[in-house]
């Protein structure tokens, strides 16, 4: 094999960031002055109380959003008009995770967006504090425990697993070895009748040119073990439906992963008179939401078969099409549903011969925008407009089936708002209970302080756990 034929690291990943993390066990000196390396120009970043332990930041800075279980102190913080997730960890781990997330972001993979890494933190007495990794809060997303705190469909666990399988395949295709796959390290967004999964914790990950089968299988096996344990934990807290078999759900991840990986990477063998199957293979990949960049075709040694292997470029086939037509940037299944409604609108207005871009503009103005403007103000931070539109369409169909005739869109929206939308709301009590449970797994016990401590009153020497975050 020629040198040029060897797999190469994507240049987008190589040039993703100026931060080059050193080995976690390196003993280099900590920065003596505050240093913020940021991928954002938000000036409010510099006004935050970096000299205080994150667990003591005052409530006026914090956004009361549900947090997932973490070994570290995590808080959601208002920074100007943005909400950022802050995680307090060692400098080496913070820099490494920031570097990896930046690379994954450049590869357009589904992860939280890294904003900054803050090092060289010290309190007013000059004592060192841990570094902080800053990421943008993924709007409308929830950790898995928050999803199960609501009244959900019985197959929610299976749908989450399907989303995680897609995420894991996409990361593996890009050469990312996760090393700690679990529901706790993922955020979920509703995506029509399914979910989309986003990587939120990359501490143990490593981006390589290409993964071995052994690395992929280790990730899958670890994921299965972790997921079964997490679901058993939900069952013990009576958050999991009693008819859900935790082991069966864990096995589902393995099956779904292998099925999807095979569909995306296997080489098909066709006879010379079966070339139509190539289009069938491409259409199947598109239906799964993946674009095909190249098709590698060659004749087998016996000369009687054609070998075809697709080069999958990325997921997002439908979402990119919708973005081009309407400017809406939504999840893949949401995009499919909106495109289907656009097609129905085109047919119902007898405009099949008209350019789709023009019809899409009218559909946006006459159908989509009037509908999503009806979202009540108190729910606008709870549900994405595209998800709202999808669920209203479902609700309208059920109303029409029950009534035996078509139901006007406005009537369907009002009925949905009254009878379905309230299920989305997590009240402050539920959020506080989830966050208290999340904090119970934190190694840094300063997260359990009963109240913020003023710098003048706090003495690290009186805190037996201060060493956890002061090195």
């Amino acid at each position: 094999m020629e040198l040029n034929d060897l797999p190469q690291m994507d240049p987008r990943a190589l040039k993703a960031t100026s931060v080059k993390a050193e080995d976690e066990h390196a003993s280099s000196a900590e920065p003596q002055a505050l240093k913020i390396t940021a991928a954002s120009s938000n000036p409010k970043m510099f006004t935050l109380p970096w000299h205080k332990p994150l667990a003591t930041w005052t409530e006026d800075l914090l956004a009361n959003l549900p947090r997932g279980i973490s070994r570290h102190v995590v808080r959601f913080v208002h920074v100007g008009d943005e909400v950022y997730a802050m995680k307090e960890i060692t400098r080496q781990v913070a820099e490494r995770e920031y570097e990896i997330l930046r690379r994954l972001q450049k590869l357009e993979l589904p992860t939280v967006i890294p904003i900054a890494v803050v090092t060289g933190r010290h309190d007013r007495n000059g004592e060192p504090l841990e570094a902080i990794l800053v990421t943008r809060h993924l709007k409308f997303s929830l950790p898995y425990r928050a999803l199960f705190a609501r009244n959900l469909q019985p197959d929610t666990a299976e749908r989450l697993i399907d989303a995680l399988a897609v995420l894991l395949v996409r990361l593996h295709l890009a050469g990312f070895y996760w090393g700690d796959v679990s529901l706790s390290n993922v955020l979920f967004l509703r995506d029509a009748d399914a979910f989309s999964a986003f990587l939120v914790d990359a501490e143990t990950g490593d981006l390589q040119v290409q993964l071995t089968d052994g690395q992929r299988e280790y990730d899958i096996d670890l994921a299965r073990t972790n997921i079964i344990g997490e679901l058993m934990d939900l069952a013990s807290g009576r958050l999991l439906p009693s008819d859900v078999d935790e082991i069966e759900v864990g096995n589902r991840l393995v099956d779904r992963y292998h099925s999807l990986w095979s569909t995306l990477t296997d080489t098909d063998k066709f006879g010379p008179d079966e070339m139509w199957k190539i289009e069938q293979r491409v259409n199947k990949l598109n239906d799964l939401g993946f674009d095909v960049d190249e098709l590698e075709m060659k004749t087998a040694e016996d000369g009687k078969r054609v070998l075809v292997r697709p080069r999958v470029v990325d997921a997002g086939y439908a979402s990119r099409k919708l973005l081009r037509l309407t400017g809406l940037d939504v999840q893949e299944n949401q995009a499919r549903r909106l495109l289907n409604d656009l097609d129905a609108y085109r047919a119902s207005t007898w405009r099949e011969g008209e350019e789709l871009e023009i019809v899409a503009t009218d559909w946006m103005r006459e159908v989509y925008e009037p509908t999503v403007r009806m979202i009540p103000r108190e729910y606008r931070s709870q549900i994405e407009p595209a998800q709202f539109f999808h669920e209203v369409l479902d609700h309208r169909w059920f109303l029409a089936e029950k009534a035996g005739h078509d139901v006007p869109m406005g009537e369907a929206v009002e009925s949905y708002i009254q009878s379905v939308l309230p299920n989305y709301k997590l009240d402050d009590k539920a959020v506080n209970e989830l966050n208290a449970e999340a904090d119970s797994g934190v190694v840094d016990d300063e997260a359990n302080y009963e109240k913020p401590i003023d710098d003048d009153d706090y003495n690290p020497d009186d805190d037996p756990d201060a060493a956890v975050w002061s090195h």
Side-chain angles (χ1 to χ4, degrees):
M1 179 180 289
E2 297 293 334
L3 183 61
N4 291 338
D5 293 333
L6 293 172
Q8 302 291 321
M9 179 72 76
D10 192 309
R12 294 175 297 172
L14 293 174
K15 301 176 181 179
T17 177
S18 60
V19 173
K20 300 297 179 186
E22 63 183 32
D23 184 83
E24 184 178 349
H25 304 291
S27 57
S28 62
E30 294 291 320
Q32 294 304 304
L34 183 70
K35 179 182 179 182
I36 301 177
T37 303
S40 167
S41 58
N42 190 335
K44 295 288 185 181
M45 284 279 292
F46 300 95
T47 66
L48 296 173
W50 302 114
H51 61 283
K52 295 183 178 182
L54 182 57
T56 69
W57 287 20
T58 54
E59 289 187 2
D60 61 299
L61 293 172
L62 306 180
N64 195 29
L65 297 168
R67 302 191 300 272
I69 293 176
S70 172
R71 294 181 294 271
H72 310 286
V73 176
V74 176
R75 294 293 184 268
F76 292 110
V77 180
H78 290 289
V79 185
D81 296 329
E82 303 271 3
V83 175
Y84 293 156
M86 310 261 181
K87 179 166 70 171
E88 203 166 45
I89 45 181
T90 65
R91 175 175 62 87
Q92 291 92 340
V93 174
E95 290 177 340
R96 186 172 185 278
E97 188 167 6
Y98 175 82
E99 178 185 1
I100 290 174
L101 286 173
R102 284 282 291 173
R103 290 184 172 186
L104 295 178
Q105 182 195 10
K106 292 296 184 182
L107 296 177
E108 299 179 359
L109 291 165
T111 74
V112 291
I113 297 176
I115 295 297
V117 60
V118 183
T119 58
R121 298 174 63 226
H122 295 80
D123 66 16
R124 296 297 192 195
N125 297 320
E127 294 296 323
L129 300 175
E130 279 196 318
I132 288 183
L133 174 69
V134 184
T135 59
R136 178 174 287 122
H137 169 59
L138 183 60
K139 199 173 182 182
F140 305 112
S141 68
L142 287 171
Y144 79 101
R145 297 187 73 89
L147 286 168
F148 283 99
R150 301 175 172 186
N151 295 321
L152 293 175
Q153 299 177 23
D155 65 344
T156 294
E158 287 84 357
R159 290 186 292 145
L160 294 183
I161 291 306
D162 290 347
L164 182 55
V166 173
L167 172 63
L168 193 52
V169 165
R170 291 186 63 185
L171 293 172
H172 282 177
L173 284 171
F176 180 72
Y177 169 72
W178 198 333
D180 190 17
V181 190
S182 69
L183 293 173
S184 299
N185 290 336
V186 175
L187 287 174
F188 293 94
L189 276 177
R190 291 179 183 272
D191 184 9
D193 293 324
F195 289 94
S196 293
F198 289 74
L199 180 146
V200 69
D201 193 324
E203 286 181 32
T204 57
D206 186 30
L207 188 61
Q208 303 175 15
V209 174
Q210 186 173 308
L211 298 186
T212 66
D213 289 344
Q215 288 173 315
R216 292 192 301 105
E217 291 300 325
Y218 181 84
D219 254 358
I220 300 165
D221 185 62
L222 181 61
R224 176 186 176 277
T225 301
N226 286 341
I227 287 165
I228 291 172
E230 289 168 322
L231 293 179
M232 286 181 173
D233 185 43
L234 285 177
S236 67
R238 298 182 179 179
L239 292 175
L240 194 69
S242 58
D243 60 343
V244 174
D245 184 328
E246 299 91 342
I247 295 177
E248 183 178 316
V249 173
N251 291 339
R252 179 187 178 97
L253 173 77
V254 179
D255 294 340
R256 288 285 293 160
Y257 174 92
H258 283 137
S259 175
L260 184 56
W261 183 268
S262 176
T263 302
L264 294 174
T265 63
D266 281 357
T267 299
D268 284 336
K269 300 177 182 179
F270 303 133
D273 58 344
E274 295 179 312
M275 299 305 287
W276 57 271
K277 289 185 178 180
I278 296 175
E279 182 179 1
Q280 188 180 61
R281 175 78 186 272
V282 172
N283 289 339
K284 183 178 181 181
L285 293 172
N286 290 161
D287 289 341
L288 289 169
F290 288 84
D291 269 333
V292 176
D293 187 40
E294 293 178 339
L295 284 174
E296 179 185 346
M297 292 179 280
K298 59 183 180 181
T299 304
E301 291 181 2
D302 58 12
K304 297 179 180 180
R305 292 169 299 161
V306 176
L307 309 182
V308 178
R309 180 174 183 176
R311 179 175 178 267
V312 174
V313 61
D314 201 2
Y317 176 77
S319 58
R320 278 191 283 272
K321 180 179 179 181
L322 184 72
L323 181 64
R324 175 177 58 82
L325 289 170
T326 67
L328 295 175
D329 189 4
V330 305
Q331 303 303 308
E332 184 68 8
N333 291 314
Q334 293 169 347
R336 286 198 190 99
R337 186 62 187 278
L338 269 59
L339 287 170
N340 287 341
D341 194 68
L342 171 58
D343 287 339
Y345 169 82
R346 189 185 196 186
S348 67
T349 54
W350 307 95
R351 301 171 67 179
E352 283 93 339
E354 204 167 333
E355 289 189 15
L356 188 55
E357 288 80 0
I358 296 174
V359 178
T361 300
D362 292 340
W363 173 82
M364 284 285 291
R365 185 181 65 252
E366 298 174 12
V367 180
Y368 182 80
E369 290 176 349
T371 301
V372 300
R373 277 200 296 266
M374 295 180 71
I375 302 175
R377 185 177 299 275
E378 64 269 26
Y379 288 101
R380 290 176 186 172
S381 63
Q382 308 286 326
I383 184 169
E384 287 180 281
Q387 184 68 24
F388 177 86
F389 187 84
H390 158 76
E391 295 193 13
V392 166
L393 291 179
D394 273 356
H395 189 69
R396 185 187 186 192
W397 185 88
F398 286 120
L399 291 177
E401 186 180 54
K402 183 177 180 180
H405 57 77
D406 196 18
V407 174
M409 193 66 165
E411 182 180 327
V413 173
E414 291 177 1
S415 173
Y416 172 84
I417 290 172
Q418 292 176 8
S419 60
V420 180
L421 194 55
N423 294 331
Y424 269 87
K425 202 153 192 178
L426 273 176
D427 58 28
D428 286 343
K429 180 183 177 184
V431 173
N432 291 337
E433 288 175 353
L434 286 165
N435 288 342
E437 188 174 21
D439 285 342
S440 68
V442 172
V443 174
D444 312 277
D445 285 341
E446 75 271 18
N448 297 319
Y449 292 154
E450 294 181 359
K451 61 183 181 65
I453 299 176
D454 188 80
D455 286 343
D456 296 334
D457 299 325
Y458 181 70
N459 184 353
D461 294 335
D462 297 332
D463 181 0
D465 297 315
V468 173
W469 51 263
S470 65
H471 292 298

